[in-house]
Amino acid sequence: MSGLVNALVILAVVGLVIARQLRPRPVAAGGRWWLIPAVLAVLAIRDGGLVDSAHQGLSVALLGGELLIAAGMGVVWALTTRMWTAQDGGVWAQGTKATVTVWVLGIALRVGLYGAGAAAGVHQETGSVLLAVAVTLLIRAGVLLYRAQGLLSSYRSVA
């Protein structure tokens, strides 16, 4: 995919995710919660360009930093999400103002990494952003499912 198409995919996914996270949504234990992250990861890896061959060490370090930020963002995003058990026993989740702050800080850190890489002459493709978004979404979903199981077990023991 071209850089423009990747950028549009990234913007669309981030926009969709942010819009969806601010509305109450059921947390489904089954299903395909891993599908969007898997598709994004495949797109990122398939396109290549994750590592700049002229600056391998630095570009691997930047990619590692990006993925660490993504993982941390996924965990904190899930922990700042409000969760509750409905009367029917289903678990619901909704992002908070803190969740939006996590997104803003995560994006700012990623822009800082990109700027540092650009200043060092590292050629960076959009695949690293796609991969980071995939990691963020995957970890967030996993943590939410873990939290939901705790709510379900405590709800069932009380009910």
Side-chain angles (χ1 to χ4, degrees), residues 108-124:
L109 287 171
R110 288 177 176 157
V111 167
L113 273 180
Y114 184 83
V122 176
H123 180 71
Q124 301 169 81

PDB file of all heavy atoms in Angstrom, residues 108-124:
ATOM      1  N   ALA A 108       1.349  11.988  21.171  1.00  0.00           N
ATOM      2  CA  ALA A 108       2.442  12.958  21.342  1.00  0.00           C
ATOM      3  C   ALA A 108       3.790  12.242  21.481  1.00  0.00           C
ATOM      4  O   ALA A 108       4.789  12.667  20.876  1.00  0.00           O
ATOM      5  CB  ALA A 108       2.181  13.832  22.562  1.00  0.00           C
ATOM      6  N   LEU A 109       3.827  11.154  22.237  1.00  0.00           N
ATOM      7  CA  LEU A 109       5.073  10.400  22.373  1.00  0.00           C
ATOM      8  C   LEU A 109       5.506   9.798  21.038  1.00  0.00           C
ATOM      9  O   LEU A 109       6.695   9.805  20.698  1.00  0.00           O
ATOM     10  CB  LEU A 109       4.912   9.289  23.414  1.00  0.00           C
ATOM     11  CG  LEU A 109       4.852   9.736  24.867  1.00  0.00           C
ATOM     12  CD1 LEU A 109       4.461   8.574  25.774  1.00  0.00           C
ATOM     13  CD2 LEU A 109       6.195  10.320  25.294  1.00  0.00           C
ATOM     14  N   ARG A 110       4.542   9.295  20.283  1.00  0.00           N
ATOM     15  CA  ARG A 110       4.870   8.712  18.979  1.00  0.00           C
ATOM     16  C   ARG A 110       5.376   9.776  18.010  1.00  0.00           C
ATOM     17  O   ARG A 110       6.312   9.527  17.247  1.00  0.00           O
ATOM     18  CB  ARG A 110       3.649   8.012  18.399  1.00  0.00           C
ATOM     19  CG  ARG A 110       3.336   6.738  19.113  1.00  0.00           C
ATOM     20  CD  ARG A 110       2.093   6.109  18.557  1.00  0.00           C
ATOM     21  NE  ARG A 110       1.867   4.825  19.193  1.00  0.00           N
ATOM     22  CZ  ARG A 110       0.696   4.255  19.250  1.00  0.00           C
ATOM     23  NH1 ARG A 110      -0.350   4.829  18.712  1.00  0.00           N
ATOM     24  NH2 ARG A 110       0.562   3.086  19.833  1.00  0.00           N
ATOM     25  N   VAL A 111       4.772  10.947  18.031  1.00  0.00           N
ATOM     26  CA  VAL A 111       5.241  12.046  17.173  1.00  0.00           C
ATOM     27  C   VAL A 111       6.661  12.431  17.580  1.00  0.00           C
ATOM     28  O   VAL A 111       7.519  12.684  16.721  1.00  0.00           O
ATOM     29  CB  VAL A 111       4.280  13.256  17.244  1.00  0.00           C
ATOM     30  CG1 VAL A 111       4.892  14.495  16.623  1.00  0.00           C
ATOM     31  CG2 VAL A 111       2.959  12.921  16.557  1.00  0.00           C
ATOM     32  N   GLY A 112       6.929  12.429  18.887  1.00  0.00           N
ATOM     33  CA  GLY A 112       8.285  12.720  19.365  1.00  0.00           C
ATOM     34  C   GLY A 112       9.289  11.697  18.866  1.00  0.00           C
ATOM     35  O   GLY A 112      10.392  12.062  18.428  1.00  0.00           O
ATOM     36  N   LEU A 113       8.929  10.423  18.904  1.00  0.00           N
ATOM     37  CA  LEU A 113       9.816   9.376  18.377  1.00  0.00           C
ATOM     38  C   LEU A 113      10.037   9.550  16.884  1.00  0.00           C
ATOM     39  O   LEU A 113      11.154   9.406  16.392  1.00  0.00           O
ATOM     40  CB  LEU A 113       9.224   7.990  18.629  1.00  0.00           C
ATOM     41  CG  LEU A 113       9.520   7.327  19.955  1.00  0.00           C
ATOM     42  CD1 LEU A 113       8.860   5.962  20.032  1.00  0.00           C
ATOM     43  CD2 LEU A 113      11.003   7.196  20.181  1.00  0.00           C
ATOM     44  N   TYR A 114       8.965   9.841  16.171  1.00  0.00           N
ATOM     45  CA  TYR A 114       9.079  10.043  14.724  1.00  0.00           C
ATOM     46  C   TYR A 114      10.005  11.221  14.430  1.00  0.00           C
ATOM     47  O   TYR A 114      10.867  11.139  13.553  1.00  0.00           O
ATOM     48  CB  TYR A 114       7.708  10.279  14.095  1.00  0.00           C
ATOM     49  CG  TYR A 114       7.777  10.403  12.598  1.00  0.00           C
ATOM     50  CD1 TYR A 114       7.804   9.270  11.796  1.00  0.00           C
ATOM     51  CD2 TYR A 114       7.855  11.648  11.985  1.00  0.00           C
ATOM     52  CE1 TYR A 114       7.890   9.369  10.421  1.00  0.00           C
ATOM     53  CE2 TYR A 114       7.949  11.755  10.611  1.00  0.00           C
ATOM     54  CZ  TYR A 114       7.958  10.615   9.829  1.00  0.00           C
ATOM     55  OH  TYR A 114       8.059  10.720   8.470  1.00  0.00           O
ATOM     56  N   GLY A 115       9.841  12.301  15.190  1.00  0.00           N
ATOM     57  CA  GLY A 115      10.699  13.475  15.005  1.00  0.00           C
ATOM     58  C   GLY A 115      12.155  13.171  15.304  1.00  0.00           C
ATOM     59  O   GLY A 115      13.055  13.616  14.580  1.00  0.00           O
ATOM     60  N   ALA A 116      12.403  12.395  16.349  1.00  0.00           N
ATOM     61  CA  ALA A 116      13.779  12.017  16.680  1.00  0.00           C
ATOM     62  C   ALA A 116      14.382  11.176  15.567  1.00  0.00           C
ATOM     63  O   ALA A 116      15.547  11.364  15.190  1.00  0.00           O
ATOM     64  CB  ALA A 116      13.814  11.255  18.000  1.00  0.00           C
ATOM     65  N   GLY A 117      13.589  10.255  15.045  1.00  0.00           N
ATOM     66  CA  GLY A 117      14.068   9.423  13.938  1.00  0.00           C
ATOM     67  C   GLY A 117      14.347  10.245  12.689  1.00  0.00           C
ATOM     68  O   GLY A 117      15.367  10.050  12.019  1.00  0.00           O
ATOM     69  N   ALA A 118      13.448  11.159  12.391  1.00  0.00           N
ATOM     70  CA  ALA A 118      13.633  12.010  11.211  1.00  0.00           C
ATOM     71  C   ALA A 118      14.876  12.889  11.369  1.00  0.00           C
ATOM     72  O   ALA A 118      15.639  13.081  10.415  1.00  0.00           O
ATOM     73  CB  ALA A 118      12.396  12.867  10.982  1.00  0.00           C
ATOM     74  N   ALA A 119      15.097  13.407  12.573  1.00  0.00           N
ATOM     75  CA  ALA A 119      16.279  14.241  12.823  1.00  0.00           C
ATOM     76  C   ALA A 119      17.558  13.436  12.655  1.00  0.00           C
ATOM     77  O   ALA A 119      18.596  13.985  12.248  1.00  0.00           O
ATOM     78  CB  ALA A 119      16.206  14.843  14.224  1.00  0.00           C
ATOM     79  N   ALA A 120      17.495  12.132  12.942  1.00  0.00           N
ATOM     80  CA  ALA A 120      18.675  11.272  12.806  1.00  0.00           C
ATOM     81  C   ALA A 120      18.811  10.708  11.389  1.00  0.00           C
ATOM     82  O   ALA A 120      19.740   9.964  11.110  1.00  0.00           O
ATOM     83  CB  ALA A 120      18.597  10.129  13.807  1.00  0.00           C
ATOM     84  N   GLY A 121      17.861  11.051  10.510  1.00  0.00           N
ATOM     85  CA  GLY A 121      17.934  10.597   9.130  1.00  0.00           C
ATOM     86  C   GLY A 121      17.355   9.209   8.882  1.00  0.00           C
ATOM     87  O   GLY A 121      17.592   8.617   7.829  1.00  0.00           O
ATOM     88  N   VAL A 122      16.602   8.688   9.846  1.00  0.00           N
ATOM     89  CA  VAL A 122      16.004   7.359   9.696  1.00  0.00           C
ATOM     90  C   VAL A 122      14.757   7.480   8.829  1.00  0.00           C
ATOM     91  O   VAL A 122      13.878   8.301   9.088  1.00  0.00           O
ATOM     92  CB  VAL A 122      15.646   6.747  11.069  1.00  0.00           C
ATOM     93  CG1 VAL A 122      14.938   5.414  10.899  1.00  0.00           C
ATOM     94  CG2 VAL A 122      16.886   6.592  11.919  1.00  0.00           C
ATOM     95  N   HIS A 123      14.706   6.646   7.785  1.00  0.00           N
ATOM     96  CA  HIS A 123      13.531   6.608   6.911  1.00  0.00           C
ATOM     97  C   HIS A 123      12.470   5.740   7.582  1.00  0.00           C
ATOM     98  O   HIS A 123      12.702   4.568   7.844  1.00  0.00           O
ATOM     99  CB  HIS A 123      13.903   6.033   5.540  1.00  0.00           C
ATOM    100  CG  HIS A 123      12.748   5.974   4.603  1.00  0.00           C
ATOM    101  ND1 HIS A 123      12.200   7.096   4.043  1.00  0.00           N
ATOM    102  CD2 HIS A 123      12.024   4.923   4.151  1.00  0.00           C
ATOM    103  CE1 HIS A 123      11.189   6.740   3.271  1.00  0.00           C
ATOM    104  NE2 HIS A 123      11.060   5.419   3.326  1.00  0.00           N
ATOM    105  N   GLN A 124      11.313   6.339   7.884  1.00  0.00           N
ATOM    106  CA  GLN A 124      10.268   5.634   8.614  1.00  0.00           C
ATOM    107  C   GLN A 124       9.015   5.507   7.749  1.00  0.00           C
ATOM    108  O   GLN A 124       8.525   6.486   7.222  1.00  0.00           O
ATOM    109  CB  GLN A 124       9.942   6.381   9.913  1.00  0.00           C
ATOM    110  CG  GLN A 124      11.161   6.510  10.825  1.00  0.00           C
ATOM    111  CD  GLN A 124      10.919   7.455  11.965  1.00  0.00           C
ATOM    112  OE1 GLN A 124      10.312   7.081  12.950  1.00  0.00           O
ATOM    113  NE2 GLN A 124      11.385   8.681  11.821  1.00  0.00           N
TER     114      GLN A 124
END
